[in-house]
Amino acid sequence: MIHLIEFVWIWNQQLKFDLPKHHRAICRFLETFFQNDKRGLLMAFRASGKSTLVGLFCVWALRLNPNLRILIVAADHNLAKKMVQHIKRIINKHPLCQDMKPIHPDEWASDCLSVRRQDTGRDPSVLAKGLGANLTGCRADLIICDDVEVPKTSDSATKRHELRQKLSELDYILTSNGGILYIGTPHAKETIYNTQDGFLKNWPVLKIPILNKNGESNWPEKFAIEKIEALKKQTGPTKFYSQMMLDPIKSATNRLDTSRLVFYDDEISYHEANEASTLKIGNNQMVSVSCWWDPAFGSAKGDRSVIACVFSDANGHYYLHRIAYLKVPPHMEAAGYQCREVVAFIQENHLPAIHLESNGIGKFLPALLRQELNKAHVACAVIEEISRTHKQDRILAAFEVPLMNGALSVHTSIKNTPFMDELQDFHPFIAKGHDDALDAVAGCLLSEPVRLKYKTFINPVHQNWQGYF
């Protein structure tokens, strides 16, 4: 019998690849799983080559037992199909697999395939299914759960509960002596990939983070320490610890580092000359701006109605220039009053567009705001937004990387606003207190800069300082 590590080595020789140390460890783990354990969890850092090796493992297992039935389960059908297509390429090109190709072309589909075998049952040799598929009637000797935990299946307690329920049904598909292998990286603090308690308790596990316990790269040929540090800056510590160090608990403890904020006291300077306009903050010319309004009734006990604007220069540095908390005086009509306050905010900051979160109260505001902009002869596009992601995830995704790289400057006028307390108190997995200003600024940071030609008005309030027509 040829061992898996030898099978992989032959494949790599064809491609002129070496066999890295962590790949050899994965090969030994997978062979032990197949021969003895029948249960296994493989966790390795992103881009570690784990999916490539699992594809080779599937072909190796089919070469040992052509009658094997393998079910590939992924978060969606297209991801599962990728693994099947990878397996097909290996069978087509591996020197030891040329006798495995089926005789009939109909046994070689995009999401399933059958190798040449004695048993001609109705189940294919390899079948791809998404988590939402109907698996009734399927039988499998080997189930590969490939990246079943992804953000869209695990970003809420309800989704994680549904994920566990769907995966528990796989036991009814598995044959009596069959095996289940999970491969992936954690995307939630309460990850399913926890062998201490819960879903996969006491399962054999191989865990390979990008850095070993001595702080050395587990794949130095591809990921030098300098590249790993650059990756951490690019993705932010939360995603890095989760996806590269496989430690969602440590990532969950990360708060936003407010010590990296840079403060400035320069105001906007706007100039028109030679039929062109420019906008600067201090000596830095701005090239784009995003504005986000998260509306509310503005009551003392409820959510705050907050508008924010963030400028950016040609180097990608962000300037959080203004935040306004819209408070409605007694006996004033809330919607109309807030829209007029927003128009004044737009005029003051020369904003070409505003994103308006139209969930809840915001449903009827876009039309009303456009009316007020027309009354004031202010040229500004109103872009309606519906937030579909969890607020904590959105805030973390927006702030973490700019803060880590010192790329966010804040105007000193914001120092004494509730925004600073919200930023210091923020925790990615604990929702407490107000976070309305954080949410509005996150909307700005995550929005693509809008560069639009202004609608023509008689005596327009301001011109297009971004240089786009």
Side-chain angles (χ1 to χ4, degrees), residues 93-149:
K93 297 181 178 180
H94 200 292
L96 301 181
C97 299
Q98 298 311 298
D99 58 346
M100 294 175 63
K101 296 178 186 177
I103 298 173
H104 304 291
D106 60 352
E107 296 181 308
W108 206 247
S110 63
D111 62 353
C112 65
L113 63 90
S114 291
V115 298
R116 201 174 298 188
R117 56 186 178 174
Q118 291 79 39
D119 186 356
T120 57
R122 65 177 184 173
D123 292 310
S125 299
V126 185
L127 175 64
K129 288 288 185 181
L131 271 175
N134 182 6
L135 297 175
T136 305
C138 291
R139 295 290 285 168
D141 307 298
L142 176 60
I143 299 176
I144 307 290
C145 295
D146 183 12
D147 278 331
V148 290
E149 180 176 294

Side-chain angles (χ1 to χ4, degrees), residues 41-43 147-151 153-157 159-161 163-164 167 182-201 205 207 241-243 245-252 429:
L41 168 62
L42 170 59
M43 298 173 67
D147 278 331
V148 290
E149 180 176 294
V150 295
T153 64
S154 64
D155 61 2
S156 71
K159 289 181 180 180
R160 291 190 292 272
H161 175 70
L163 176 60
R164 287 174 171 85
L167 294 173
Y182 283 82
I183 61 172
T185 54
H187 285 267
K189 179 184 176 184
E190 299 82 8
T191 178
I192 64 167
Y193 306 133
N194 183 352
T195 57
Q196 300 301 313
D197 52 52
F199 193 68
L200 304 180
K201 186 177 181 179
V205 58
K207 183 176 177 181
Y241 282 116
S242 174
Q243 297 296 288
M245 293 301 293
L246 314 175
D247 190 349
I249 304 300
K250 186 168 184 178
S251 71
F429 294 98

Side-chain angles (χ1 to χ4, degrees), residues 250-266:
K250 186 168 184 178
S251 71
T253 64
N254 285 318
R255 295 171 181 263
L256 297 173
D257 187 358
T258 57
S259 67
R260 293 180 177 268
L261 284 177
V262 180
F263 289 95
Y264 68 95
D265 55 11
D266 298 304

Side-chain angles (χ1 to χ4, degrees), residues 39 84 174 197 356 369 378 399 443:
R39 295 291 184 274
V84 174
L174 196 66
D197 52 52
L356 197 165
L369 178 58
V378 174
F399 278 94

Side-chain angles (χ1 to χ4, degrees), residues 231-241 400-401 404-405:
L231 184 65
K232 186 176 180 180
K233 285 186 177 181
Q234 180 183 349
T235 63
T238 297
K239 193 170 184 180
F240 178 82
Y241 282 116
E400 191 174 42
V401 173
M404 184 174 185
N405 290 283

Side-chain angles (χ1 to χ4, degrees), residues 55 75 87 94 101 166 193 233 263 296 311-312 324 346 366 395 406:
I87 290 170
H94 200 292
K101 296 178 186 177
K166 289 176 182 177
Y193 306 133
K233 285 186 177 181
F263 289 95
F311 291 84
S312 58
I346 290 168
I395 292 170

Side-chain angles (χ1 to χ4, degrees), residues 422-440:
E422 291 182 21
L423 193 62
Q424 289 167 353
D425 293 343
F426 174 78
H427 193 287
F429 294 98
I430 301 174
K432 62 176 183 178
H434 287 289
D435 54 13
D436 310 292
L438 276 183
D439 197 24

Side-chain angles (χ1 to χ4, degrees), residues 178-460:
I180 300 183
L181 175 70
Y182 283 82
I183 61 172
T185 54
H187 285 267
K189 179 184 176 184
E190 299 82 8
T191 178
I192 64 167
Y193 306 133
N194 183 352
T195 57
Q196 300 301 313
D197 52 52
F199 193 68
L200 304 180
K201 186 177 181 179
N202 297 327
W203 278 38
V205 58
L206 177 62
K207 183 176 177 181
I208 304 177
I210 196 169
L211 295 171
N212 63 25
K213 61 182 180 182
N214 297 320
E216 301 163 337
S217 174
N218 270 323
W219 196 356
E221 298 87 353
K222 184 175 180 180
F223 291 97
I225 294 297
E226 296 78 12
K227 186 173 182 179
I228 294 172
E229 287 299 318
L231 184 65
K232 186 176 180 180
K233 285 186 177 181
Q234 180 183 349
T235 63
T238 297
K239 193 170 184 180
F240 178 82
Y241 282 116
S242 174
Q243 297 296 288
M244 304 305 288
M245 293 301 293
L246 314 175
D247 190 349
I249 304 300
K250 186 168 184 178
S251 71
T253 64
N254 285 318
R255 295 171 181 263
L256 297 173
D257 187 358
T258 57
S259 67
R260 293 180 177 268
L261 284 177
V262 180
F263 289 95
Y264 68 95
D265 55 11
D266 298 304
E267 297 297 341
I268 288 173
S269 59
Y270 174 78
H271 300 284
E272 295 179 11
N274 300 322
E275 298 184 351
S277 57
T278 59
L279 188 148
K280 292 183 177 182
I281 294 178
N283 294 322
N284 300 307
Q285 183 167 341
M286 301 296 106
V287 297
S288 64
V289 64
S290 292
C291 175
W292 190 281
W293 180 20
D294 185 5
F297 285 111
S299 65
K301 296 181 180 179
D303 290 339
R304 294 158 169 161
S305 187
V306 181
I307 184 172
C309 65
V310 176
F311 291 84
S312 58
D313 60 24
N315 296 318
H317 193 94
Y318 297 105
Y319 299 79
L320 173 53
H321 193 67
R322 285 290 189 273
I323 294 176
Y325 295 81
L326 307 179
K327 297 179 181 179
V328 182
H331 312 300
M332 292 292 293
E333 192 273 316
Y337 180 85
Q338 289 193 48
C339 283
R340 289 188 289 275
E341 290 291 295
V342 168
V343 170
F345 185 91
I346 290 168
Q347 288 178 288
E348 177 189 349
N349 295 290
H350 303 274
L351 303 175
I354 178 173
H355 296 261
L356 197 165
E357 194 166 335
S358 56
N359 306 44
I361 183 181
K363 288 181 180 178
F364 64 91
L365 285 176
L368 184 57
L369 178 58
R370 290 186 182 103
Q371 288 177 14
E372 295 295 336
L373 287 166
N374 279 320
K375 287 179 185 178
H377 288 183
V378 174
C380 180
V382 178
I383 303 166
E384 300 176 44
E385 301 281 0
I386 297 177
S387 295
R388 293 183 173 87
T389 57
H390 194 275
K391 185 183 287 189
Q392 267 68 32
D393 292 337
R394 189 165 65 248
I395 292 170
L396 195 63
F399 278 94
E400 191 174 42
V401 173
L403 280 176
M404 184 174 185
N405 290 283
L408 178 61
S409 293
V410 178
H411 194 270
T412 52
S413 64
I414 297 172
K415 269 188 175 182
N416 297 321
T417 69
F419 168 78
M420 295 304 299
D421 290 333
E422 291 182 21
L423 193 62
Q424 289 167 353
D425 293 343
F426 174 78
H427 193 287
F429 294 98
I430 301 174
K432 62 176 183 178
H434 287 289
D435 54 13
D436 310 292
L438 276 183
D439 197 24
V441 178
C444 293
L445 291 170
L446 294 174
S447 299
E448 288 294 325
V450 178
R451 299 181 174 98
L452 300 172
K453 181 180 179 180
Y454 283 108
K455 181 178 177 181
T456 301
F457 286 96
I458 300 172
N459 298 322

